[in-house]
Amino acid sequence: MSIAALAPAASSNPLPWKIALARLLALSTLSAGLLMADDFLQQLFTSANQAELELRFILVTWLFALGLWLCGMPRLVTALLVLLAGMQLIQLSHVSFFGEPLAAPDIVSLFADFAEVRETGWASFADHWHVLPSVLLPYGLLIGLHLWLPRRVRLPQSRWALLIIVLVLTAKPWRATYRDYSSFLPGPTRSGLHNSFNAFAFYAVRLAFRPAEVLPPAPFQPYRVTPVSSGAKHVWLVVADSLRTDRLGLFGHDRDTTPTLSRLHSEGVLLAKPGIASGVATAVSLPNLINLVREPGQPELLRQQPHNLFALARSSGFRTHWLSAQESKLLSHLGSRHLDVSITLEDHPLRFLQRHDHALVDLLDEQAWSSHNFVAINLRTAHLPYEENYDQHHEPLPNWPVDPALPREERQRNAYENAIGYLDDVLAEVITRFDQLEGERYLLITGDHGQLLGEEGRWGHNDLLPQVAEVPVMVLSREAPEQALAGLREEQWISHHEAGLWLAERLGQRVDNPNQIAGEHFVQGKQLFGDNMIQRVQETPEGLIYDEPRLLSRWLRDLGEAPSSP
């Protein structure tokens, strides 16, 4: 379609098409700004809204705004803007009240308990009134412009613009037909409109008009949190994506994939133990690890976060940091409201594109450390596609062949182990920064989950299998008393839950779990909420015993029928 085709129809006083086009572009830019303005208006009143501008979403929003002006249908546009404003009222209200963005399951709860939500909303209106002007001012101005300007100002028009609108509005619902919930997690630093598109699309396609999923009650006692004395000044947690224990030279692999870690271990300064992940996916294992959840079927611990590591750290006077080479959506249910510093892939897309995980090392150099710091670092190095994470780097890295002519199994395993070698180099840099600090300090390194590399024809990490459940746990301490590591040294295996409890104590908070049974662990399937497959893992002197995976609802039902709780 040519530019001339968009020009206004001829009249006795024709408007030059360049002026009309300039008006269209200017109005589209203004409208895109107004569509994203509600977040920044809300930020004037509360720090709970952490939205930042993302280039890709800015472009999508601008195209959508262009379509709204170009279609020349003010009534349709008004209806769409009213719909978006309603979504944003719900989104920003949720951010203001809960401190985190709205997710699709929250919409289910909203409609299921609407009377309670309405009552709570009225009772707490004085604390959250700012949501109304934050949303209504920009959307009201947009609606006014669309109703008033077309009658007074000539603009290009084309019904083809409806295609832009349809594509933008249906992209997320279409994606929800074939992607699972992990692709629709909200990101605390994403635009509220972006989070709303994700949440309402997944709700409409997967959750609306379906019976609410009710799990049997979990018969577990609440955990107890007690302040304790700790001399730690710095506590760092490094979580590397898709880190599988048996591919590390440190743990006996026949290839030297971890020269730095192996050297530190041989020097006696690095404690290394095999570990057990909380879940088979990042969006499952990280929330369970950070919130210290051991037993499945307790979603309230993920939402209310009574013993979230960031919250515990803050209560002990630590400054909290989240540095991630991945998207901000991984912060969902990690307690972003308890963070003092949050840096993700979206904040520095070009830097991460050029430097990959080494960008996090650069960011560590830029931090203004407090006297006490709790730092969580999320690496992506060993995540598919492996080659893209290391092939642009000139560090002395492993270089096992990845020629396309090789069989898939050999090529992928070599690429994965090259990526582990790159991870070792990144960790060497992280440890160097850690060693530049002073005082009692601890660095714990683990993986969020393992990775299948063609065993029995399986790949990826969404299956409840040993290669996915088993991750390493490594601890480096400096200027620390020997007894601080005594408990970990005695363990044969260290689960994510046990690692989290140990971190909490270094942060000055002891968390006692009365439900914990020695040698018993749980690995959760790929869903964080709702009915899901889970697997119990038991330690024995001969190794780990993996029970058959079970549906969470059946496991909870059996527990409830048992004569005594676990």
Side-chain angles (χ1 to χ4, degrees):
M1 183 169 56
S2 66
I3 296 286
L6 297 178
S11 67
S12 57
N13 183 25
L15 183 71
W17 67 268
K18 290 184 178 179
I19 296 178
L21 183 61
R23 287 178 176 174
L24 176 67
L25 297 179
L27 285 170
S28 299
T29 302
L30 172 63
S31 299
L34 289 172
L35 284 169
M36 295 182 289
D38 49 8
D39 285 312
F40 303 100
L41 289 174
Q42 187 181 38
Q43 288 174 3
L44 298 175
F45 301 95
T46 175
S47 60
N49 191 316
Q50 304 171 42
E52 301 172 359
L53 294 175
E54 300 175 48
L55 179 60
R56 185 168 58 179
F57 190 70
I58 291 173
L59 293 176
V60 171
T61 306
W62 188 88
L63 284 174
F64 181 67
L66 174 68
L68 294 181
W69 283 110
L70 198 53
C71 73
M73 304 174 69
R75 292 183 180 178
L76 172 64
V77 171
T78 298
L80 290 176
L81 290 175
V82 168
L83 175 64
L84 294 182
M87 290 165 53
Q88 287 302 93
L89 283 171
I90 297 173
Q91 176 69 251
L92 297 197
S93 295
H94 193 277
V95 169
S96 181
F97 189 87
F98 292 101
E100 293 187 336
L102 182 80
D106 299 320
I107 302 175
V108 176
S109 301
L110 169 67
F111 291 120
D113 303 311
F114 184 75
E116 181 179 342
V117 171
R118 180 182 58 191
E119 182 180 355
T120 303
W122 280 116
S124 57
F125 180 78
D127 295 321
H128 309 288
W129 63 270
H130 59 265
V131 172
L132 289 177
S134 296
V135 174
L136 297 183
L137 283 177
Y139 278 90
L141 180 56
L142 262 177
I143 292 171
L145 287 173
H146 275 280
L147 292 176
W148 181 78
L149 268 182
R151 297 198 298 264
R152 291 164 176 79
V153 177
R154 301 193 66 190
L155 295 169
Q157 294 184 9
S158 173
R159 289 296 187 263
W160 286 103
L162 291 173
L163 182 59
I164 299 176
I165 298 173
V166 170
L167 288 175
V168 172
L169 293 180
T170 60
K172 293 292 185 180
W174 171 250
R175 195 182 188 204
T177 62
Y178 63 89
R179 298 296 293 270
D180 62 22
Y181 175 56
S182 63
S183 298
F184 295 83
L185 289 171
T189 60
R190 282 181 169 171
S191 164
L193 189 59
H194 190 171
N195 286 327
S196 289
F197 276 142
N198 275 330
F200 283 94
F202 192 84
Y203 169 77
V205 174
R206 295 290 193 94
L207 304 177
F209 310 113
R210 298 185 183 185
E213 191 175 49
V214 179
L215 292 172
F220 302 119
Q221 301 177 50
Y223 302 180
R224 296 184 297 271
V225 181
T226 309
V228 294
S229 176
S230 172
K233 301 293 185 183
H234 305 278
V235 180
W236 287 20
L237 167 65
V238 177
V239 181
D241 206 314
S242 308
L243 188 57
R244 173 173 162 169
T245 307
D246 64 355
R247 295 307 170 112
L248 275 62
L250 170 63
F251 285 88
H253 187 43
D254 56 6
R255 286 177 170 176
D256 186 16
T257 55
T258 55
T260 299
L261 297 176
S262 297
R263 175 180 57 80
L264 292 171
H265 183 254
S266 66
E267 294 172 356
V269 297
L270 181 72
L271 173 68
K273 295 281 186 176
I276 304 165
S278 296
V280 302
T282 309
V284 175
S285 64
L286 275 179
N288 281 305
L289 167 59
I290 296 295
N291 290 294
L292 307 184
V293 179
R294 172 183 175 268
E295 304 81 22
Q298 301 182 89
E300 69 280 0
L301 299 185
L302 299 170
R303 294 192 174 103
Q304 299 170 10
Q305 301 171 351
H307 23 77
N308 174 277
L309 282 176
F310 293 120
L312 296 178
R314 262 193 172 178
S315 67
S316 295
F318 284 77
R319 181 174 171 84
T320 55
H321 306 251
W322 170 261
L323 307 178
S324 174
Q326 307 204 61
E327 295 178 301
S328 62
K329 68 179 183 180
L330 290 185
L331 274 170
S332 183
H333 306 295
L334 293 193
S336 60
R337 63 183 181 274
H338 307 303
L339 290 173
D340 295 304
V341 176
S342 173
I343 302 176
T344 66
L345 171 66
E346 291 94 340
D347 294 307
H348 301 282
L350 292 179
R351 180 183 286 192
F352 280 106
L353 181 64
Q354 296 169 351
R355 295 276 287 153
H356 300 100
D357 277 6
H358 270 101
L360 291 171
V361 177
D362 301 337
L363 291 167
L364 286 171
D365 290 333
E366 298 171 9
Q367 299 308 302
W369 302 118
S370 178
S371 60
H372 293 71
N373 298 277
F374 175 50
V375 183
I377 302 172
N378 179 218
L379 303 174
R380 185 180 171 82
T381 306
H383 193 285
L384 278 167
Y386 311 121
E387 297 96 321
E388 291 186 7
N389 297 322
Y390 66 81
D391 61 4
Q392 299 178 33
H393 289 267
H394 304 294
E395 292 83 8
L397 305 175
N399 190 27
W400 289 289
V402 291
D403 191 292
L406 292 172
R408 179 188 180 190
E409 288 78 6
E410 182 179 355
R411 186 178 70 253
Q412 287 291 292
R413 289 171 187 171
N414 286 347
Y416 180 80
E417 291 174 7
N418 288 338
I420 297 298
Y422 174 61
L423 169 66
D424 185 80
D425 187 78
V426 173
L427 290 175
E429 297 286 346
V430 171
I431 291 170
T432 297
R433 273 59 181 181
F434 175 76
D435 281 339
Q436 291 170 354
L437 302 173
E438 296 180 353
E440 184 179 330
R441 54 196 187 275
Y442 302 91
L443 169 63
L444 188 147
I445 304 167
T446 188
D448 54 358
H449 51 74
Q451 188 80 342
L452 289 162
L453 295 170
E455 290 83 4
E456 298 182 4
R458 299 195 184 202
W459 302 85
H461 55 76
N462 284 330
D463 295 323
L464 287 164
L465 292 169
Q467 295 88 347
V468 180
E470 295 177 17
V471 294
V473 176
M474 298 162 280
V475 179
L476 183 71
S477 63
R478 301 296 195 198
E479 302 182 40
E482 180 63 27
Q483 63 267 26
L485 297 180
L488 294 183
R489 293 188 192 280
E490 295 171 0
E491 295 288 346
Q492 182 179 3
W493 298 78
I494 300 175
S495 69
H496 271 176
H497 182 65
E498 291 168 334
L501 296 178
W502 182 84
L503 286 169
E505 196 154 351
R506 308 284 77 72
L507 294 168
Q509 305 287 335
R510 177 181 291 119
V511 179
D512 294 304
N513 180 0
N515 313 286
Q516 190 167 357
I517 298 176
E520 180 186 64
H521 313 283
F522 295 94
V523 184
Q524 190 168 322
K526 63 181 180 178
Q527 294 178 198
L528 185 61
F529 294 107
D531 213 355
N532 189 25
M533 297 301 290
I534 64 167
Q535 186 172 44
R536 189 176 71 146
V537 182
Q538 300 179 73
E539 293 183 43
T540 72
E542 292 75 33
L544 296 178
I545 295 178
Y546 289 84
D547 290 358
E548 284 296 316
R550 299 191 64 190
L551 201 60
L552 174 60
S553 58
R554 293 181 181 177
W555 180 72
L556 289 173
R557 191 174 298 114
D558 289 346
L559 284 181
E561 295 172 355
S564 60
S565 59

